[in-house]
Structure formats: C-alpha cells, structure tokens
Amino acid sequence: MKNTLILAFATLCISLPLAAEDVEFPSEGPLITLSIPDDWKHEEVDGILQAIAGDDMETMFALKPLKATKKEGSAAIAEIKEPLDKMYDGEITYDKMEESGVPDGNMNLYTINAEAKLHSADQGEVTSFVNSIMISFPDTDELLLAQFISTKAGFRANAEGIKEIVGSLKKAE
C-alpha cells in the first residue's frame, strides 16, 4: 500500500506543470511583468532580459526596449527587422504584422512572424522561426520588443513555454 501511494504521488508530481517565475522588466522602473517557465534559464544583462529553453539553444527569448518611440512606428519596425536581415543574410521572409490588445486594454501587441534560413557546414540548411512582438502602452511613448527565435525542433519542443510567456505579458503596476 505504501509503495502504491508513493508511486501515485510521484506520478502526480510528474504530471503537474512546472511553476513559472514572475519577472518584472526592466528591473529598474518596470513597465511589464511576465512569467518565465521554471525550466528556462534567464537573466537580465545590459538592459536586455534573456532566456533560453534547456541547454540546446533551440529556443531563445529576449525582451528589450526599442530606441524608436510609439510615434516612430516605421523606425520601430525597421529596428526590429534590420538586425534579423543581417543575421540571416537576407534569407528571411516576414508575415504581415498583426495587432492585438490585452483583455484589460492597457497594452497593445504588434506581432511580426518570420521564417529564416541559415546554412551550416555541419547541419546544412537550418530553418528558424522568429516571432517578434512589439509592445506599446497607452501612457508612455516607450516600446518594448519581445522576441523568440527557435529552430523547427525547438519550436515544437517549447511551444507551450512560448505560449506561457506571451500569455503572461502584463503591464507592471
């Protein structure tokens, strides 16, 4: 009986979702809060919150302020795309930008999804998915960029964690 209870408890613990850590960003004068899955390593370095799912670097996340302001929409989009165009040497295609808000109306999210190709000597052609989310607030001109970069395998393996992070985005109080 005791072994059955231990096995049942162990099974329950394995099936429970991992707890997430709530993070405020930036650490000085937070604009936003989000939850990062417990199994993702994260830290804020030089004003950029960085996270990685597991040790394989198949899915990476960054949250940073943009230099462009809300009044400079085209410049903000260029600020998002230019480093990606350089990193992928032009081998990137962008979907149309999508706008959405959050239920309480205190943030707007502008999503630009992209698919990119890298050529690697040991792996051949590698496809990456890039999900860029520009975040704006009604009471400030500041913009934030939340960005996920995943390989196909990383996206499949970490889709739930990505959804958890995106779903947890809230304006800091």
Side-chain angles (χ1 to χ4, degrees), residues 35-70:
S35 295
I36 300 194
D38 217 22
D39 58 338
W40 289 47
K41 297 174 188 150
H42 68 279
E43 66 180 326
E44 188 174 330
V45 178
D46 296 329
I48 300 172
L49 177 63
Q50 302 170 0
I52 185 167
D55 294 324
D56 57 11
M57 296 189 66
E58 296 268 346
T59 300
M60 297 178 286
F61 169 72
L63 178 63
K64 67 180 188 175
L66 290 173
K67 292 176 184 160
T69 66
K70 194 165 41 175

Side-chain angles (χ1 to χ4, degrees), residues 93-104:
T93 55
Y94 298 96
D95 292 343
K96 184 179 172 187
M97 184 168 63
E98 298 175 22
E99 179 182 0
S100 62
V102 295
D104 58 11

Side-chain angles (χ1 to χ4, degrees), residues 84 92-95 112-116 128-132 148 150:
L84 294 171
I92 187 166
T93 55
Y94 298 96
D95 292 343
I112 303 171
N113 295 316
E115 187 173 312
S128 294
F129 299 117
V130 181
N131 310 100
S132 302
F148 297 90
S150 295

Side-chain angles (χ1 to χ4, degrees), residues 37 40 59 131 148 150 154-155 158-167:
W40 289 47
T59 300
N131 310 100
F148 297 90
S150 295
F155 185 79
N158 299 299
E160 289 303 314
I162 293 169
K163 285 193 320 191
E164 181 178 339
I165 293 171
V166 173

